[in-house]
Amino acid sequence: MDTAFSNEDLKFQSEIRDFIKTNYPRELRDSINSKRKLGKELSREDLTAWHKILGKHNGWSAPSWPKQYGGAEFTPTQKYIFEQECAKAECQYIMPFGINMVGPVIYTFGNEEQKTQHLPGILSGEVFWCQGYSEPGSGSDLASLKTSAVKEGDHYIVNGQKTWTTMAQYADWIFCLVRTNPDAEKPQQGISFLLIDMKTPGVTVRPIKLMDGSHEVNETWFDNVKVPVENLIGQENMGWTYAKFLLAHERSGIAGVARSKKAIERIKQIASSEMSYGEPLIQDPAFKAKIAAAELELSALEYTELRTLAKDSAGKGPGPESSLLKIKGTDIQQAVTELAMEAVGYYANPHLGTTLSNEYVGPDYATNLSGTYFNFRKASIYGGSNEIQRNIIAKMVLGL
Amino acid sequence: MDTAFSNEDLKFQSEIRDFIKTNYPRELRDSINSKRKLGKELSREDLTAWHKILGKHNGWSAPSWPKQYGGAEFTPTQKYIFEQECAKAECQYIMPFGINMVGPVIYTFGNEEQKTQHLPGILSGEVFWCQGYSEPGSGSDLASLKTSAVKEGDHYIVNGQKTWTTMAQYADWIFCLVRTNPDAEKPQQGISFLLIDMKTPGVTVRPIKLMDGSHEVNETWFDNVKVPVENLIGQENMGWTYAKFLLAHERSGIAGVARSKKAIERIKQIASSEMSYGEPLIQDPAFKAKIAAAELELSALEYTELRTLAKDSAGKGPGPESSLLKIKGTDIQQAVTELAMEAVGYYANPHLGTTLSNEYVGPDYATNLSGTYFNFRKASIYGGSNEIQRNIIAKMVLGL
Amino acid sequence: MNFDYTEEQTLLDNMVTSFVRDNYDWDTRCNIVKSEEGWKEENWKQFAELGLLGVPFDEAYGGLGGKSADLMIVMEQFGKGLVVEPYLPTVVLAGGLISKLGSEEQKNSIIPEIISGNIRCAFAYAEPQSRFDLNDVKTSAVLNGDDYVLNGFKSVVFGAGMASHLIISARTEGEQRSESGITLFIVDTKSEGLTLQNYPTIDEYRASEVIIENLKVSKDNILGKVNMAYDAIEEIVDISTIAACSEAVGILQVLKDSTTEYCKNRKQFGQSIAKNQVIQHRLVDMMIEYEQAKSILYMAVTADLSNSDERRKAVSAAKARIGKAIKFVGESAIQLHGGMGVVDEYMVSHYFKRATMIGVLFGNTDYHMKRYMTLTQSGISSSDEAISVSVT
Amino acid sequence: MNFDYTEEQTLLDNMVTSFVRDNYDWDTRCNIVKSEEGWKEENWKQFAELGLLGVPFDEAYGGLGGKSADLMIVMEQFGKGLVVEPYLPTVVLAGGLISKLGSEEQKNSIIPEIISGNIRCAFAYAEPQSRFDLNDVKTSAVLNGDDYVLNGFKSVVFGAGMASHLIISARTEGEQRSESGITLFIVDTKSEGLTLQNYPTIDEYRASEVIIENLKVSKDNILGKVNMAYDAIEEIVDISTIAACSEAVGILQVLKDSTTEYCKNRKQFGQSIAKNQVIQHRLVDMMIEYEQAKSILYMAVTADLSNSDERRKAVSAAKARIGKAIKFVGESAIQLHGGMGVVDEYMVSHYFKRATMIGVLFGNTDYHMKRYMTLTQSGISSSDEAISVSVT
C-alpha cells in the first residue's frame, strides 16, 4: 500500500503547475468567474480558450487519448494529478463532448477518413461538439428514442427531436443516436450512431431555461435533415454498442473531488465573514458540523476514487463501481452548493443580472449562490439519475 | 380549531391523576423499573398487576370497549388524556393481546357464549392472552401461514408452528390464525380465527432470546392439538376478515408519544450528569441538537396523533394514516434509545445481570441502556415492518 | 379537541381558494412575475374588496379581528397559488407592528388605509451584517431638534418597492447588538434621504436594498416608545414566521400532490414510474414530512402566543421542523420530476424555489434550532431525585 | 499510487484468514464467549506461534516491525471472525505504550514475553467521570519513599480479566483535567491494592472495573517520564483507534455481504425479497457506506502518522466517518434481516453489537467529529484575498 507520489509523479506535478501558471490567462479566469457569479452565460470563447491552449501542448487537451491520435496518454496517476492541479488553479474545465465522448468513439470505431476529419478539431478545441442522446419523454429510458434516420441514396434523412443538448447553441457538430431500424426486436437494436453538422438545413436549436434562469441546455430539432452516409460511425444498427462504450469509457473526474474541495475552502472563507448570533458563522456548531461532514465524505470519496484509479491502472477497469463515484460526487456537490447558499443568509434572495435588474447588491461573494444551488439539483438527475445508478450497482455489482 | 381541553376533560384528567396516585403501587413501579434496568425478565404479576387494579374500576382496563361489555368507552380525547397520565406516572402498560386485540374481535364477531366465557377474564386481567399469527418464514407475508386445523367431529386438530408469540410463556390462551381450507383460491381465503387453551396437550412453548438477551418472544408448537369447534370465532374460513378488523381497530397509542417524551426527559437528566470535553454532555452542541431534533419530531407527531384522534372522534376513522404513526413513532423510539446509550459513553458496554456477572457496575442510570437500544431494533420490524407500512400508505393513501 | 375550521374560517378558506383558482392561474402568475412591477395592483384591490387586507386587524379599526389560525388559512392558500402580492410584508409584518405599537392616532390613520388597499407598507430591519439577528442594528437615528436624522443601510426588504411607507428599525441608543435602544420609524417611501434599489428575488418576488442618508423623520412618526421596540419586533416577526410557515405548508402540499400525480402519469421503460418501489417510498416520505410539517404548524397556531416564552418556543420549533420538511419535500419533488423538475418552464421548480426561500425567511433551520435549544435546554441540571428508572 | 498488499502483507492476510476459517467457526466462537473465561488460551498460543503477537513490535525485541497497514490486516480479519481474544488491549494498546515509553530494560523484559504469549496486558485509563477524555484523570499517585501509592477507580478496562499486567494512568501532579501531570505505572494484576470486577460486555467481550486502593508501585515500574505520559497516551490511543476502525471495516464487510446474501435467499410473497427495489437500494447504500468506510481507513493508514497533527486529524476523520457507516450498515443489516435480525441465535446481531460498541470505543462519532473540527477549523479567518470567485 502506497499513496505517496513517485518522484516522476512529483516532477510531473510541478510541470503541470508551472504550465498552468504560465499559460492560463488570469483575465480569462477572472472573466469566467465573474460571469458565473452573476449568472451570466459563458461565451463559446470562455468555454474553449483553455482547451485551445492545452491543445497546442503535447495533447494535454486529451489526457486519456492514445499518443497515436494526438493525445497525452497520461497514466491514471498523472490524470489524477492533472485534474487536481487544474481544479486548484480554477481552470475552466474542458467540455466533455468532444474529448471524452465522441473522440474515443471515433478513434475506436470510426474509419480513417472520419479520424482524419474530426480528431484534429476536437483536440485543438476549434470544433465544438454536442451530444444528441435524450429525447422528450425518454429520460433514463434512453433506448426508447424515436428520432429516425431513413437511408435515401447516399444520405440519411433525419427527423425528430433531441433534448437536454448541452451547449448546442455553440456546437458545430452533434453526435446522435438515431433509429435506423424501427422494426428491430428490442429497442436497443436498430439504433445507429450518426455525426451531424449543425449547419445542415433543417437543424433548429431552441433554448431551455433552467430554474436558475441559466441557458445551458436546448432542444434540438431535426426536420428532414440530410446527413451523408459517410457520417455513420461503424455499422448501421450497432449504435447502442458504441453508446455503451462511451458511457463506460471516461469516468475519471466524475466525482469532482478537486472542485468540491475548492468549494468547501470558499465556504469556509465566506462563513468567516458572515456573522450569526454575534459570532462568525464558521463558529456556529451546526454550520461547522455540516462543513466537517462534507469534508469527511469528500476525504473518503477521494480515496474511493484513488482506489478505483489504482484498479484501473492495474488494468482491472473501473467498471460499474463508477456509479458510486457519480452518486457520492453529486451528493457532495449538492451539499456544498447548499451550504454556500445557507452561508449568506438573506443574500441568497437577490436574483441579479436579469432583465429586471442591472444593479448588483449584497456582498460580492454572495451573488448567484442560490442560483447555483438550484442549478445543481440537476446533478443527481443527469447522466443517469442517482436512482438509475443504484439500479446499476444493484444489478452489476451486487448481482440482485 | 381548538386544542385546549374542555372543563370536563380537565376534570377527567384530575380524576385519572388522583386515581393513579392513590392506586398505582409505588413498590410495583420501582420493582418493574429496577428489573427492566437490569435486563431481568418481568413476571406475570408485574405485567398484570396494574391491569387488575384498573379492571376493578369502571372498566378502565379497557378504555375503548363499549360500556355494554364492561369497558370504559372513553372518548378519543379521554383516551389521549388517560394514556398521557399513565405514561407520566410510569404505569406499566397493559398487555395489548386481550384488551386491544382479541377482546374487540370477540365482542364484535363472537357468539354470546364466547363473550360470557372470555370477556370478564380479559377485563379483569386474570386471563393472560397471546397472539398466534406469525409463522417461521411468513414474516410480513402473513397470509402465507401453514398451521392447519382439520375438523374431526366436534374438534379441530391443529398442527403447526407459530413464532414471535410475545409473552407466550405466561399465556393462558392464544388466539390463532389457522388454515382450515388449504385448497382456497387465494392465500387469504381458507383461514380461520381460533381460540386455543394453552394448557391443551400438544401445545409447546420454546423461548427465543433476543439480541439483548431478553426473553419476550417464543416459538409455539402445535402437535395434534384438539380444539373444540366452539372455539371458532365467527365463520370458518373468514378469519382473514377478523384479522384485518383487529389490525385496523386499535391504533391509539401506537405512536408512543407520551413514553418517548418521558424518555427524552430522562436522557436530559443523564446528559446533565455525564461530562464530555470538560462540560456537561447536555451542553455539547451535537448531542443537544440531536435531543432537540427528537423533541421537534415528537411535537409534530403528537399533533399528527391528535389530528388523527380528532378525525376518529368525528367518525371519520383513523384509516391507513395510522401507518404514519407507527413509522414515525418507532423512528423516534429508536432515536431515543440510541441517544440514551450514547449518553453514557463507555458504560454502554457492561452486560449485567447475566449468568456471568452478578455484580453491578457503573452509574445506576446506565445499566441496560445499550440492551434497550439493541432490543428496540425490533420496533421497525414488528407489527408489519416500516417498509410494509410504507407500502400500505403508497397503496391506500397515495393510490399508487 | 378539534382541528376543524369554524364556519367563518371555512368561508375565509373558500374565499381565498376561489380567488387563487379564478384570478391566479399559472399563466397569469407568470405574467405578473415577469412584469416590471412584479405584482398586480388589480389583485390588491380584490384583496381589499374581499376583506383579506383586514384579517388580522382589530375590529375597532375596521379589521376582522382574526387570529393566527385565520392568517394561516390565507397564507396556506396563497402558498398554493404562489401569490406574489405583498400580503405578508404589508398586512402581517408592518400591519402587526402598527397594531402593536401605534398610537391611537397612528392606528386610526394608517390601519383603515391598509385595509382599504390604499397604502402598502414594508418593514426594513435586516442589515448587511445582521443576518437574522433582530437586535443587530447599526442604522442610527440621532435627535436633532424635533426630528430624528437616520443613516444606515437595510438589506433585502421584501415588498419595499411596492410600498408607500417603510417602517425602519434604527438605533437610538446602545451598542450595535443591544436589545434596548432600538426605535421604529414610519416614513414615506418617497422621502428625501431614502434610496431604494429594487430587484427580483430568485423565487420571483421583489425586494430592495434601502440606503438611508440623512433621512429626517419627525418624532411623531415614531412607532411606540423610543428605545423600546425590540420586544414588539421579536413578537411580530414571530407571528409573521407562523404566517410564512403556513405559506410553506400550502406549497408543500402542492409539491407532494403534484409530484405524486406526475409519477403516476410519467411513463418510462413502458410503465408508470410510480411502479418503482423506491419512488413510492419517497412519495410516502414526502407525505409524512408534509403531515409532520402541518402538525407542527397547528401546534404553533394553537399555542398560547400571548405567553412570550411559549410563543418563542413554538415558533422556533415550527420554523425549524418545517425547514427540514421544505428541504426534503422540495428536493424530492425536483428529483422525482427528473428533467421536468429542473427547467424554468414547468411549475414545480417555482414552488421549490419559493419554499426554499421561505426556509431562509426570518431565520433558517439552524437559526431557529439554536433558538429552540436555548429556550428549552438552558435550565436543565442534574435532578435531585435519583435518575433511577429505565429509559423506555 | 497503489493499494495492493506487499508480498509479506498478503502472507499475513492469508495467515489470519486461515486462522479464522479453521479455528473460529461460529459454534466455536459461541462456546468461547459463553465460557467462564470469555476467551481461549489455546488461540492465544496459536497467535504466538503464527507470530501475530509480534506484528507491531520492533525487530530488536523479536517483533515483526509492522506498521499500521499490517495491524489493519490483522484486525480486519479478526473483525470478520468476531475474534474476542484480547489482541487490541494487549498487543496494540498496552504493547504500543510499552514500545513508546518503556526503558530498554522494560522493553527487553516485557515485549518478548508478550510476543511469546506468556503475558497479556491491559490499559486502565478511563474513569467514571472521564468519558473519552484521556486527560481527565483523578486516580492519584503519591510518592512515598521509593514507592508511589495509587488510589482511584478505572472504568471499563477491556481485557483486564485476562491480563497478567495492567498499565494504569494516574495523576502525579496538576488538576484533574490537566494534560501534564499524568504518569503511567505498570503493575501485576494480582498486586495487593488492586480489585477487579470482571463482567461480560453487551457484545460478548470482557471488561473490568478496577478499584485501586493504596496500591504500592515501585518507581521502577513507571513507564516513561513522571508527569509526561499524556502525549504518548494520545498517540497510542490514536494508533489503537485505527486498529479498531480496521476491525469495524472487517465487520461491515460481513454485514453488507451477509445481508445481501440473506435478501437474495429470503422469500416473501412468493419471491426473493431482494426483488424489492427499496431493498436493493438499501443494499447499494450499505455497499457505498462500506466502501467509503474502507476508503477513509486507507486514508488514515497511509497518512503520515509521525506528524502528530496529521495523525490526529486522520484518526478522528476515520473514526467519525466509520462511526456513521457502522450505524447505517448495522441498523440496515438488522432491518433487512427482519425477525432473524433481532434474535440472539442468528449471527448478524452479534456483528451489529460488536460494530456498535467499536463505535463507542476510544470516543464515539460526535467526540471525534468535535476533535476533527477543532483541528481543522480553528485557524480559519477571513482571507485577505477578496473572495471573488463563485462556489462551483
Side-chain angles (χ1 to χ4, degrees), chain A residues 140 385-395 398 400, chain B residues 387 391, chain C residues 268-269 271-282 336, chain D residues 263 271-285 336:
Chain A
S140 298
S385 73
N386 286 7
E387 287 83 5
I388 295 284
Q389 303 298 338
R390 284 187 171 83
N391 286 349
I392 292 173
I393 296 177
K395 189 174 167 187
L398 302 181
L400 303 175
Chain B
E387 286 84 5
N391 287 349
Chain C
Q268 233 171 43
F269 299 103
Q271 64 172 12
S272 152
I273 65 168
K275 292 289 165 204
N276 289 292
Q277 196 188 25
V278 156
I279 289 181
Q280 291 187 356
H281 282 206
R282 183 106 171 227
L336 296 187
Chain D
C263 291
Q271 64 173 11
S272 152
I273 63 170
K275 292 288 165 204
N276 289 291
Q277 196 188 25
V278 157
I279 289 182
Q280 291 186 357
H281 283 205
R282 184 106 170 229
L283 289 169
V284 169
D285 287 336
L336 296 187

Side-chain angles (χ1 to χ4, degrees), chain B residues 64-284:
Chain B
S64 304
W65 288 23
K67 290 217 159 114
Q68 65 171 123
Y69 300 118
E73 207 173 329
F74 286 155
T75 66
T77 306
Q78 287 175 327
K79 268 194 278 181
Y80 173 77
I81 292 171
F82 183 72
E83 276 158 20
Q84 295 279 318
E85 295 305 321
C86 288
K88 273 187 214 157
E90 303 182 282
C91 299
Q92 169 61 25
Y93 69 99
I94 305 301
M95 291 283 109
F97 310 107
I99 294 291
N100 290 340
M101 295 179 166
V102 76
V105 170
I106 290 173
Y107 67 65
T108 308
F109 302 104
N111 57 35
E112 287 312 309
E113 289 72 29
Q114 289 168 336
K115 292 181 201 170
T116 313
Q117 180 185 0
H118 294 294
L119 296 184
I122 293 173
L123 267 174
S124 71
E126 294 297 334
V127 180
F128 202 115
W129 284 80
C130 67
Q131 180 191 40
Y133 273 26
S134 289
E135 298 188 0
S138 71
S140 299
D141 183 8
L142 196 55
S144 69
L145 63 91
K146 295 198 181 77
T147 296
S148 69
V150 178
K151 208 194 273 184
E152 286 190 6
D154 54 1
H155 283 84
Y156 288 100
I157 308 300
V158 178
N159 278 289
Q161 184 193 348
K162 294 289 177 184
T163 192
W164 312 124
T165 39
T166 304
M167 292 298 153
Q169 66 264 45
Y170 297 140
D172 303 305
W173 283 80
I174 184 169
F175 58 96
C176 275
L177 292 179
V178 294
R179 189 159 297 284
T180 36
N181 178 5
D183 304 321
E185 211 169 293
K186 287 186 182 174
Q188 289 81 358
Q189 298 166 343
I191 291 172
S192 296
F193 195 106
L194 217 53
L195 312 181
I196 304 177
D197 188 330
M198 292 290 281
K199 288 181 292 294
T200 323
V203 178
T204 315
V205 174
R206 291 182 199 158
I208 299 175
K209 212 159 66 157
L210 295 185
M211 72 169 117
D212 61 331
S214 67
H215 173 204
E216 299 172 354
V217 291
N218 304 273
E219 293 177 345
T220 304
W221 297 72
F222 300 90
D223 179 21
N224 285 316
V225 175
K226 282 179 73 174
V227 181
V229 292
E230 292 85 29
N231 289 2
L232 176 77
I233 292 286
Q235 291 181 275
E236 204 179 73
N237 297 329
M238 291 294 286
W240 191 253
T241 310
Y242 314 140
K244 277 202 300 188
F245 163 85
L246 187 160
L247 283 174
H249 184 265
E250 184 56 60
R251 293 294 195 167
S252 91
I254 194 181
V257 171
R259 281 151 50 84
S260 290
K261 264 192 201 168
K262 192 88 197 173
I264 291 176
E265 252 177 58
R266 286 190 203 116
I267 293 168
K268 285 184 175 178
Q269 291 175 322
I270 294 174
S272 309
S273 306
E274 289 281 321
M275 303 291 284
S276 180
Y277 279 110
E279 283 193 324
L281 181 63
I282 193 75
Q283 303 298 343
D284 179 75

Side-chain angles (χ1 to χ4, degrees), chain B residues 28 32 43-55 92-95 124-129 170 172:
Chain B
L28 179 65
I32 290 176
S43 71
R44 175 168 166 157
E45 185 53 23
D46 293 332
L47 295 174
T48 56
W50 176 232
H51 182 161
K52 286 175 183 167
I53 293 165
L54 289 173
Q92 169 61 25
Y93 69 99
I94 305 301
M95 291 283 109
S124 71
E126 294 297 334
V127 180
F128 202 115
W129 284 80
Y170 297 140
D172 303 305

Side-chain angles (χ1 to χ4, degrees), chain A residues 34 67 91 98-99 104-105 121 135 149 151 157 172 178-179 203 234 261 275-276 296 300 303-305 340 345 359:
Chain A
S34 133
K67 291 220 158 111
C91 299
I99 294 292
V105 170
E135 298 188 2
K151 207 192 272 184
I157 308 299
D172 303 304
V178 294
R179 190 159 297 284
V203 178
K261 263 192 202 169
M275 302 292 284
S276 182
L296 293 194
Y303 275 75
T304 301
E305 190 178 29
E359 294 187 275

Side-chain angles (χ1 to χ4, degrees), chain D residues 5 122 131 168 244 259 292 298 334 375 387:
Chain D
Y5 290 161
R131 202 175 174 86
I168 298 173
T259 305
Q292 290 284 82
Y298 277 25
I334 299 304
L375 290 163
I387 308 161

